[in-house]
Amino acid sequence: MAFSLLLSASVLLLSSTFSGHAVASSLPFTNTTIPPTNVSIPHTHAPIKLINSSLIAHDDGCVHLPIVHSTNANHFSKKRGVQLQLANRSDIAYYAQLSIGTPPQPVFVQLDTGSFELWVNPDCTTVQGADAAFCQQVGRYDGNTSSTAKSLGTTKTLKYGIGTANITYFEDTITLAGTATALQAVQFGVATATEDTFSGILGIGYGKGIATKYKNFVDQLVAQNAIRAKAYTLALGSKEEKEGVIVFGGVDPSKFAGPLAKLPIIDANNSPDQVPRFWVNMNSIAITPPNNDTKVYEGSKMPVFLDSGSTMTLLPPDLAATIAKDFGADKEDDNGFYRIDCGLTSMNGTLDFSFNGLKIRVPYKEMIREVPSNPPACFLGITPSKKFTLLGDTFLRSAYVVFDLETDSIWMTQAISCGSTPAALGSVNDLSMVVGACGLTAEPAVTVSSAGGTTATPGVGVGGGGTGSDTNGASATVSTVVVPESPPGATSTAGSPVTSSSSRCHPMAVVTMAFALLALANMG
């Protein structure tokens, strides 16, 4: 298998210019309009199940959507393959479910911060093995059976780091896996032919006027008032969790602790590839082994972009080789990967990625790809690249990231999960006031409030100091707080199971007040 198989399928290559943003790639690329085709793609796709609509919230100005890893048997059949080989890619990506058309047709698409467009209907005959089996389970859209479908009659070829898709543009209604509110006349692509792709892609990078000539999915969420703030937050979840969450127009304070650090997105004109991606400046990478003898790697200060569509983290060859050597790999294998001892997954070490104002510590286990072969095989989640420097899923699983498309900023901190409390942002200005809930604790609930949460007496925990205040600046003097509930099976920081659930996106003012009051109570 060539190295390119693990390069982000999401690294969309562009050769256009929009509103003064240079969008040129150093890689060979032709993004051309192709003649309309009438290609019939055979399909024997198994029926696809809708994600339980109680897990999704779409009110109060935000959309709270599960992100599912393909190894999650609750959503994808176990029949897709007994063993997952390194050549497979479908097992190492994250997916969101959309319902397209009238009546709704559910499809899974790969969630991708590294590209800009939504398209569906991959040709499963161009992939093999478990990838082909998985491809047949992602669902399929048929415009002929939708009463709201409209073919726009225009076509395009999308080329990625891996794979291509020839698409015809349609408009149709899109709902998010069972939500009541639908987006009308959303433009997306329906593939007429694809190569080396096993699912459609939901590109959630920059849209109209920057990377596309039309309003993309994120643009439409804003334009149709589904969200108030043009921002979204990403929490992929750990390897054990096998799913995470994306909140469009909001945050989930129960997925991190403390404040968020703000990083400016590098303007496309000044970025390494001159493409409007989520480029930020990284200060360093260090390794902290179990003995806590931290070593900072020379030459690790560089721009990197954040790409949920890329499984691996891509670094310059010399730096990747140096890190791999510390994991016991002297050289790449024939496929361009660093094979390492699987025993490292149980060791309490981290790779530490430093930025201005924060450090993300990635545990060894999250940085290692484990392949359940016989015997098991493990590979470092970093591969060498001379063309891209990006932080993929092996990094993003350990980070909580807010993509702020209004102020061109990334807000980020260490990921940690202590429940689920999605909260709508009134504006991106709220992000400077958001404090993560994990580490703040409360005593068991004593009454149920009319706001749909639980009124609890603040307990003792780790929190910041200061005087809590509401959005009008009034000092907080109450002794009980409204704490939005978490889903069944979630565990609080005190270790007790949370048994009640709520899928609502709570107003940010309520959630922020709740955690500010908890922090204040912890002080005294």
Side-chain angles (χ1 to χ4, degrees), residues 219-236:
D219 291 332
Q220 289 285 9
L221 288 171
V222 178
Q224 300 192 35
N225 298 314
I227 60 177
R228 291 188 289 271
K230 194 172 185 179
Y232 57 86
T233 59
L234 186 65
L236 291 183

Side-chain angles (χ1 to χ4, degrees), residues 252-260 413 418 434-440 462 515:
D252 190 337
S254 293
K255 301 300 182 186
F256 63 98
L260 296 162
T413 191
C418 57
V434 172
V435 177
C438 301
L440 302 176
V462 179
F515 299 134

Side-chain angles (χ1 to χ4, degrees), residues 418-437:
C418 57
S420 178
T421 52
L425 293 165
S427 76
V428 294
N429 295 329
D430 293 340
L431 289 166
S432 62
M433 299 179 288
V434 172
V435 177

